[in-house]
Amino acid sequence: MASIMEQREAGTQPYTGDEEKWEAVTRRDHDADGAFFYSVKSTGVYCRPSCASRLANRENVRFHTSGAEAEQSGFRPCKRCRPNEAALAQRHAAAVAEACRIIEASDEAPSLDALAEAAGVSRFHFHRLFKSVTGVTPKAYTDAHRARRVRDQIAQGTNISEAIYEAGYQSSSRFYETSNDRLGMTPTAFRSGGAGAAIRFAVGESSLGAILVAATEKGVCAILLGDDPNTLVQDLQDRFPKAQITGGDQEFETTIAQVIGLIESPTRGLDLPLDIRGTAFQQQVWQALREITPGSTASYADIAARIGRPKAVRAVAQACAANALAVAIPCHRVVRTDGALSGYRWGVERKRALLNREAGT
């Protein structure tokens, strides 16, 4: 039988029959919470399917589409699973959402004790709860929010020092120590939008469609794939709004020819220097991608394990999506854990074509 998730994705409604609902009750299925409720004639109460109370006899159980329907039939809510209140997961999510609002509204980073007190739980329980809901610790969320405030202030023209203090940092040195991780570059370079950088580019055609290649004096900084050349050029300009971007000369045609050769035969590699721009974490991920042997694949979980961050699967996926060097940094070699193709910035069909070429099919 298809799983509940598979049924939902297929657009079919799970728990349609009484026997299916009873099976969900016997295994105390949290996925069934909200889909239906059940009442017990011998006790006069109604419960969620996941209720931890002792399992009732089947002949005493009735099913209801809502708590209101159960109450209209004369049943009262169970005091253990409290089916007339928001589900525990919803209450947890609401508590974490409130903590996030407190963090975002505070001039200084609130302490873990203060956040836990506001949520009405212990310090230890709150830390675990926050991470389970958001995927990051309260401190990591606070740091990311303050870094975002700095980025927004700098982008609006605020003095860098003022932006750092307004974001709640006690000293500028603490921010500068990790500025490359938080901004992807130094604050001055971030504010300049690439000012002073000279970037040459050219657009060509490959068997996978339009291709844009751009390079600084350090090396190739962008390989973009798509259907519309103008869209690719706009993407490059958005990345470096204040850089001096010019069309490549005849000598640059050799560079784009080499990149097109890589697209047509991705196993050959690219014998050109790269100007790889990203945070420290992104560069860790991208280096791991470059170590995947042509013709083979790895999952996001594999990459997370390789860089020593096994729980950062979602962050690995985001780093793959941020890659601007198609094929040279082979994010097309990353697949789902079951081997199925996942999303690809330049289209899943291009990803499939690249993998087929590497496999010789």
Side-chain angles (χ1 to χ4, degrees), residues 142-330:
T142 301
D143 289 345
H145 172 69
R146 291 198 295 172
R148 185 167 60 249
R149 288 176 63 181
V150 172
R151 287 197 299 268
D152 292 344
Q153 290 290 329
I154 294 175
Q156 292 170 14
T158 303
N159 176 277
I160 293 173
S161 296
E162 290 180 5
I164 291 171
Y165 284 109
E166 286 179 11
Y169 288 93
Q170 297 302 308
S171 68
S172 59
S173 61
R174 294 189 63 184
F175 178 81
Y176 276 99
E177 286 172 0
T178 56
S179 62
N180 280 341
D181 289 349
R182 304 189 189 289
L183 301 179
M185 58 188 79
T186 66
T188 302
F190 179 88
R191 182 173 185 174
S192 70
I199 298 175
R200 295 181 297 163
F201 81 96
V203 177
E205 277 293 325
S206 72
S207 59
L208 296 184
I211 177 173
L212 181 147
V213 180
T216 65
E217 61 180 12
K218 294 182 180 179
V220 176
C221 62
I223 301 174
L224 311 178
L225 302 175
D227 299 317
D228 179 17
N230 291 330
T231 300
L232 299 182
V233 174
Q234 185 61 55
D235 186 357
L236 180 67
Q237 292 174 334
D238 290 342
R239 288 176 175 276
F240 304 99
K242 297 182 181 179
Q244 181 182 351
I245 299 177
T246 59
D249 52 22
Q250 187 171 359
E251 181 182 349
F252 194 73
E253 295 298 321
T254 303
T255 298
I256 194 168
Q258 287 181 264
V259 174
I260 291 176
L262 173 69
I263 301 298
E264 304 305 328
S265 181
T267 59
R268 65 191 295 178
L270 183 64
D271 189 21
L272 286 172
L274 301 179
D275 183 357
I276 301 175
R277 298 171 179 238
T279 66
F281 178 82
Q282 288 172 334
Q283 297 212 33
Q284 273 188 301
V285 172
W286 297 340
Q287 180 56 40
L289 298 184
R290 299 178 73 186
E291 293 171 359
I292 303 174
T293 305
S296 60
T297 59
S299 68
Y300 295 108
D302 291 334
I303 299 300
R306 290 185 192 184
I307 64 173
R309 301 280 296 277
K311 295 183 179 180
V313 177
R314 183 177 298 179
V316 166
Q318 292 171 341
C320 290
N323 172 32
L325 286 159
V327 191
I329 295 179

Side-chain angles (χ1 to χ4, degrees), residues 102 111-123 126:
I102 292 173
S111 68
L112 183 61
D113 288 332
L115 293 172
E117 183 179 354
V121 295
S122 71
R123 186 174 190 267
F126 174 77

